[in-house]
Amino acid sequence: MFRKRLKQDVERQLKVVRTVIDWTTIVYLILPLVAVLMLDIWISPGQYWSKDIPFYVVSLLIMLFCSSGSIRTYLYEADVLFLLQRPDLIKRLRLYSFGLSVVKSAMNILMVILLFLPVLLVIYELKVMDFIFLMLLLIGYKTTILFIRKRFNHLVVSVLMSLVVLSLVGMILTFISPVVYVGIGLVLTFITGYLFMKMDYKRRLLKDIEMENHLRNRLINMIFHMSNDVEVDMRTKPMKRVRLRSRRLFKKRTEENVLLEILIKSVIRHHKYIGAYLQIMLVTLFVIIIVPSYWFVAIIYISFIAFIHSWFNSVYDQLVSSDFFTVVPYSNSKTIFAKKRFKRWMTLPSIILVTLVLTVKIWL
């Protein structure tokens, strides 16, 4: 059953990917661009990474890239009654789930290391055994992160514990010899495996099935979220909002100002919009600070400006399509005027901040 559902899930995710990206796009556009970029990195890695950047910075990047994922059980709602009557099958299912997670973690870590391979080989001069030791330590790190994510449902607790593990492993990578990585990685893997097998799954069965449904449809939900032409009924899952005190943004109470105020507050009080906004801005700042190649930074800067404008166009369309504007309609001329001011108000802070950071980088 586990192998069959694993195969079905892989086929399902591939079908979803093929609906968005055609194979011709991958073969004739994406792969050549990746090949040219990787070849340029191999030829001159110093243009993309500076020797003055400490090793723990690239280690932190690798760990962040390796932190995604989850322990999958591939359960459905109809399995609950059957599995509650057969606890031996739950134990075997947990064993298969953890074993598969270790294998997937190893493959993910190998891909991330290959991505950073030119920097690790040329800039930091790592040897073959160093790569093996690093990979074993990262497997232990990732299995620990996946176990924390599975065991603790509270988001704050899970994030705090993950940050503690990230800090500890970062200190190990910085101050401890690579030979010790093997023992630490194996110990972390076995401890998390033991704790995972000892978890009380009878109480968590319904929660795990709910999480499986979310993971099974994650790519579809991502496509729906990014598409402007797909109607998504959000009433089944109420949106979380940041609770802030309401104060007037504009003293002059015109129709345009009121509409603009509603749009701005809808963004800054919504965790989905403000979280995505901060993520886009922080990732851009991080790339600009870290990457030493100025032409690559220039491409990132121009792409950021174009993307942030396009993204707020999409945000605006989502906001004005709300039922609120059906009850309280605005004229077309007012909405067009408010859209221009809305984009200006929301994009200028991030563009100014990124421009200042880029100017400081060039000046220094």
Side-chain angles (χ1 to χ4, degrees):
M1 183 189 73
F2 186 82
R3 290 196 301 267
K4 181 180 179 181
R5 291 187 176 176
L6 172 61
K7 181 181 177 181
Q8 290 174 347
D9 187 76
V10 172
E11 293 175 350
R12 175 188 175 90
Q13 304 304 332
L14 288 176
K15 287 181 181 178
V16 174
V17 172
R18 282 198 293 266
T19 59
V20 181
I21 305 176
D22 189 66
W23 69 271
T24 55
T25 306
I26 299 175
V27 173
Y28 295 109
L29 181 63
I30 297 178
L31 290 181
L33 287 176
V34 172
V36 170
L37 180 62
M38 291 302 297
L39 181 62
D40 190 43
I41 294 175
W42 272 102
I43 293 174
S44 54
Q47 293 184 358
Y48 297 87
W49 199 265
S50 175
K51 294 182 179 180
D52 298 330
I53 300 176
F55 178 70
Y56 70 83
V57 176
V58 71
S59 303
L60 178 63
L61 276 177
I62 293 174
M63 285 190 291
L64 291 176
F65 273 97
C66 296
S67 298
S68 61
S70 57
I71 301 177
R72 299 287 305 273
T73 54
Y74 303 101
L75 293 176
Y76 289 88
E77 290 86 348
D79 300 326
V80 177
L81 183 60
F82 176 70
L83 290 176
L84 287 176
Q85 295 173 350
R86 297 288 302 273
D88 56 318
L89 293 182
I90 298 180
K91 186 175 294 187
R92 289 172 59 189
L93 186 64
R94 280 185 289 174
L95 181 62
Y96 296 153
S97 301
F98 188 78
L100 178 64
S101 299
V102 174
V103 174
K104 289 168 63 178
S105 299
M107 294 174 61
N108 174 248
I109 292 167
L110 181 60
M111 292 177 62
V112 173
I113 290 179
L114 290 176
L115 179 65
F116 286 88
L117 191 60
V119 175
L120 296 175
L121 278 178
V122 180
I123 303 296
Y124 299 103
E125 301 179 351
L126 266 64
K127 307 301 180 184
V128 176
M129 293 306 298
D130 295 333
F131 283 107
I132 297 175
F133 297 155
L134 177 63
M135 186 168 179
L136 290 173
L137 177 62
L138 290 175
I139 290 174
Y141 160 76
K142 181 158 186 175
T143 52
T144 306
I145 294 295
L146 296 183
F147 169 74
I148 291 173
R149 201 170 292 158
K150 190 77 173 180
R151 173 63 180 82
F152 299 97
N153 297 326
H154 199 283
L155 180 62
V156 176
V157 176
S158 177
V159 170
L160 288 177
M161 294 191 68
S162 299
L163 289 176
V164 170
V165 175
L166 178 67
S167 303
L168 291 176
V169 176
M171 293 174 64
I172 291 172
L173 286 169
T174 306
F175 300 109
I176 297 181
S177 173
V179 182
V180 189
Y181 295 172
V182 181
I184 297 175
L186 293 176
V187 168
L188 287 175
T189 304
F190 281 109
I191 290 177
T192 51
Y194 175 79
L195 295 175
F196 179 76
M197 294 297 296
K198 291 296 182 180
M199 288 173 59
D200 186 3
Y201 260 77
K202 289 185 177 179
R203 295 181 179 179
R204 300 179 52 87
L205 205 52
L206 293 175
K207 183 68 177 177
D208 287 339
I209 290 175
E210 180 184 351
M211 182 59 64
E212 279 297 319
N213 290 333
H214 171 72
L215 294 172
R216 195 176 295 119
N217 300 314
R218 65 187 183 278
L219 288 180
I220 298 176
N221 293 332
M222 186 184 303
I223 294 171
F224 283 174
H225 175 69
M226 298 177 65
S227 176
N228 298 328
D229 302 323
V230 179
E231 290 289 339
V232 182
D233 187 5
M234 305 307 294
R235 289 174 295 180
T236 57
K237 187 176 181 181
M239 289 293 183
K240 294 181 180 178
R241 298 183 179 273
V242 182
R243 300 190 178 209
L244 300 173
R245 290 184 178 179
S246 181
R247 292 183 179 179
R248 292 182 177 180
L249 300 180
F250 307 100
K251 293 181 179 180
K252 190 176 180 181
R253 306 301 288 173
T254 64
E255 188 175 355
E256 295 87 349
N257 286 344
V258 172
L259 177 58
L260 179 60
E261 182 174 330
I262 292 173
L263 294 172
I264 294 175
K265 288 184 177 180
S266 297
V267 172
I268 64 177
R269 293 181 178 181
H270 205 301
H271 82 290
K272 181 183 72 172
Y273 294 133
I274 198 66
Y277 186 35
L278 292 175
Q279 185 178 14
I280 295 168
M281 185 171 58
L282 291 176
V283 169
T284 305
L285 289 173
F286 183 79
V287 173
I288 288 176
I289 293 171
I290 293 298
V291 176
S293 175
Y294 286 106
W295 68 266
F296 189 73
V297 169
I299 293 175
I300 294 296
Y301 178 72
I302 297 171
S303 302
F304 165 74
I305 295 176
F307 180 79
I308 203 70
H309 277 89
S310 174
W311 185 70
F312 271 109
N313 271 331
S314 174
V315 170
Y316 175 83
D317 293 336
Q318 293 179 19
L319 292 175
V320 296
S321 63
S322 171
D323 294 336
F324 172 79
F325 292 100
T326 304
V327 180
V328 186
Y330 281 83
S331 63
N332 189 37
S333 60
K334 305 297 183 185
T335 55
I336 293 175
F337 181 71
K339 181 178 182 179
K340 294 179 180 179
R341 294 179 62 194
F342 170 73
K343 288 177 57 180
R344 191 184 309 121
W345 274 68
M346 300 307 300
T347 57
L348 272 180
S350 60
I351 293 175
I352 291 173
L353 179 60
V354 172
T355 304
L356 287 175
V357 172
L358 180 59
T359 304
V360 172
K361 178 183 176 68
I362 296 173
W363 182 266
L364 297 178

